[in-house]
Amino acid sequence: MKLTIDLVPQTAWGNSLYNFYKQNKAWDWHKIKQKVFDLEGKKCWICGHAEGPFEAHEFWRYNHKEKIQKLVGIHHLCGNCHKIKHFGFWTETETGLEKLKKENLTKIELIMHFCDVNNCLEKDFKEHKDKSFKLHAWRSQQEWKTDFSWIEKLNLNVIMPNTNLNSF
Ligand SMILES: [Zn+2]
Ligand SMILES: [Zn+2]
């Protein structure tokens, strides 16, 4: 599947590069966004949609044995693809549902976007969703260390959170 749900474990909420720069009042997040635009153009990295605004999403890989969540990439996504990534927030929390309403969107429309991009049926979505939520529940019971070393690959002059710390 091109577009998947990727829920961040509750125990790792806030451990993002975006939050790190926000807390440190650094403009480095914008430097990273610009670099990603330079490398990939102004379009959704997943579905190719060419109309902004685009939101930079942090992609993570989880090492279940060592309990490390490792940043493996940052790409710009359209609003719909990005909402699928954080489907739990947008469709199962009060704040998310309110925001969704403000954007004149519904859960059904998000599911339709998922099925369009993946060329699949609603039952495939349901299967994928159940699997992701189950995984999320398990991951939310583990403590995660966060590895941000990927950022060095961008060759930018940005401040770095310490690698392998679980908070900053
Ligand atoms: Zn998209
Ligand atoms: Zn995101």
Side-chain angles (χ1 to χ4, degrees), residues 4 13 26 38 45 58 62 77 81 88 104 116 118 143-144 166:
T4 54
W13 277 0
D38 291 347
W45 186 73
E58 294 168 55
Y62 294 87
L77 305 183
C81 285
N104 265 325
D116 275 352
N118 290 320
E143 291 298 329
W144 297 94
N166 54 9

Side-chain angles (χ1 to χ4, degrees), residues 61-73:
R61 188 172 303 138
Y62 294 87
N63 179 328
H64 285 183
K65 216 171 136 198
E66 302 190 26
K67 307 278 159 52
I68 294 171
Q69 63 157 1
K70 182 175 169 50
L71 183 69
V72 291

Side-chain angles (χ1 to χ4, degrees), residues 22 27 32 68 87 97 105 135 140 142:
K22 205 170 135 187
W27 281 88
I32 291 168
I68 294 171
F87 196 77
L97 283 165
L105 276 167
L135 189 58
S140 291
Q142 321 299 318

Side-chain angles (χ1 to χ4, degrees), residues 3 77-85 105 109-110 113:
L3 176 56
L77 305 183
C78 71
N80 283 346
C81 285
H82 199 196
K83 288 183 181 72
I84 297 287
K85 289 282 168 209
L105 276 167
E109 283 171 299
L110 292 183
H113 181 74

Side-chain angles (χ1 to χ4, degrees), residues 3-8 16 18 29 33 44-47 49 53-60 74-91 99-100 103 105 110 113-114 117:
L3 176 56
T4 54
I5 298 174
D6 289 300
L7 307 172
V8 174
S16 69
Y18 173 78
W29 180 249
K33 270 184 78 85
C44 174
W45 186 73
I46 292 178
C47 76
H49 189 74
F54 301 103
E55 298 155 11
H57 174 72
E58 294 168 55
F59 288 73
W60 303 96
I74 294 179
H75 302 285
H76 281 107
L77 305 183
C78 71
N80 283 346
C81 285
H82 199 196
K83 288 183 181 72
I84 297 287
K85 289 282 168 209
H86 305 280
F87 196 77
F89 168 75
W90 287 96
T91 67
K99 284 177 92 172
L100 196 68
E103 290 194 32
L105 276 167
L110 292 183
H113 181 74
F114 178 96
V117 173

Side-chain angles (χ1 to χ4, degrees), residues 88-102:
F89 168 75
W90 287 96
T91 67
E92 309 226 332
T93 71
E94 234 172 88
T95 328
L97 283 165
E98 257 169 48
K99 284 177 92 172
L100 196 68
K101 213 173 163 188
K102 268 192 199 141

